[in-house]
Amino acid sequence: DAGITQSPRHKVTETGTPVTLRCHQTENHRYMYWYRQDPGHGLRLIHYSYGVKDTDKGEVSDGYSVSRSKTEDFLLTLESATSSQTSVYFCAISPRDAWEEQYFGPGTRLTVT
Amino acid sequence: AQSVTQLGSHVSVSEGALVLLRCNYSSSVPPYLFWYVQYPNQGLQLLLKYTSAATLVKGINGFEAEFKKSETSFHLTKPSAHMSDAAEYFCAVSEGSGYSTLTFGKGTMLLVSP
């Protein structure tokens, strides 16, 4: 299995509070991604990174920001959480190019009350 | 723009029966295609991928998929279902160049009955 960990694995937070999710990889892969998974929607890309300090928006980026200060860490921040951001969040990595296969972390279940 | 359509949000089969999960794609250039499996409370695991080599691709756990350009399809099959195959399956497409990322279908839940 690809060395990807996500923390926390579960979080309950209140509307309006900031939340940061962390993805850590031990594979030294160039690309990292954040997705959200919701019933009936499959996986939707939030943001991705193609190198340290290099990031770009995905399909559903509104309300989210990301940072990548080291190759191994990719942080997803919800500046002011809303109930619509209740979801399961997955981090993924790919070694060489954005169009190639991705390897996924175990996910973080976030509930915003 | 690329897109994926998975026909059927749920597919039910009996143990030992053929598994067929359908995926149709749209892409303006030759695509790269992938199938992933997700077991309950886990991340996605790569089953197989097509990257313009052989059109029949074999993956893990006895699954295979055939790329048919004329039908813009990449259906996933397995000759004989096992109870352990019960999971959600996702098809994904990318355009194989630049910063093209993967676009996922909405998933098909495979239910296997004894």
Side-chain angles (χ1 to χ4, degrees):
Chain A
D1 290 345
I4 311 169
T5 56
Q6 293 185 232
S7 58
R9 294 292 313 280
H10 301 271
K11 186 170 182 66
V12 179
T13 192
E14 293 184 349
T15 298
T17 60
V19 176
T20 295
L21 308 182
R22 179 180 183 241
C23 177
H24 179 77
Q25 60 145 330
T26 58
E27 306 294 324
N28 199 36
H29 283 356
R30 178 183 177 191
Y31 288 86
M32 299 186 75
Y33 312 81
W34 278 107
Y35 291 90
R36 60 178 291 174
Q37 183 178 28
D38 304 288
H41 291 276
L43 273 82
R44 293 180 290 175
L45 182 65
I46 304 171
H47 283 280
Y48 68 101
S49 169
Y50 47 96
V52 173
K53 294 190 168 64
D54 292 324
T55 65
D56 205 352
K57 296 179 179 180
E59 177 188 356
V60 291
S61 59
D62 287 349
Y64 302 94
S65 62
V66 290
S67 65
R68 192 170 178 198
S69 58
K70 298 185 291 185
T71 298
E72 58 266 36
D73 290 326
F74 193 33
L75 304 180
L76 176 71
T77 297
L78 290 65
E79 301 289 349
S80 177
T82 68
S83 58
S84 64
Q85 293 176 313
T86 293
S87 187
V88 180
Y89 291 86
F90 286 99
C91 174
I93 62 176
S94 60
R96 291 173 296 276
D97 294 294
W99 66 83
E100 294 190 297
E101 68 270 22
Q102 296 176 12
Y103 301 94
F104 284 78
T108 294
R109 184 173 296 275
L110 177 67
T111 303
V112 183
T113 61
Chain B
Q2 59 203 33
S3 66
V4 170
T5 301
Q6 292 185 240
L7 270 171
S9 58
H10 291 78
V11 169
S12 295
V13 300
S14 299
E15 193 173 21
L18 171 72
V19 175
L20 171 61
L21 304 182
R22 298 178 187 273
C23 172
N24 288 89
Y25 69 90
S26 171
S27 176
S28 57
V29 299
Y32 281 27
L33 294 158
F34 309 84
W35 275 101
Y36 284 85
V37 60
Q38 184 181 32
Y39 299 103
N41 299 313
Q42 294 187 25
L44 277 70
Q45 179 182 358
L46 181 67
L47 267 180
L48 50 81
K49 65 178 181 180
Y50 166 78
T51 57
S52 75
T55 57
L56 183 63
V57 181
K58 295 189 184 298
I60 62 172
N61 302 337
F63 284 92
E64 63 182 35
E66 186 172 8
F67 172 68
K68 291 187 177 180
K69 183 179 178 180
S70 61
E71 299 177 8
T72 62
S73 69
F74 190 57
H75 301 331
L76 182 70
T77 61
K78 182 175 180 178
S80 176
H82 292 257
M83 297 294 292
S84 60
D85 294 327
E88 190 159 23
Y89 292 79
F90 292 91
C91 182
V93 63
S94 75
E95 294 189 341
S97 64
Y99 288 126
S100 171
T101 57
L102 271 61
T103 298
F104 286 84
K106 296 185 177 179
T108 297
M109 184 68 72
L110 177 65
L111 308 169
V112 183
S113 57

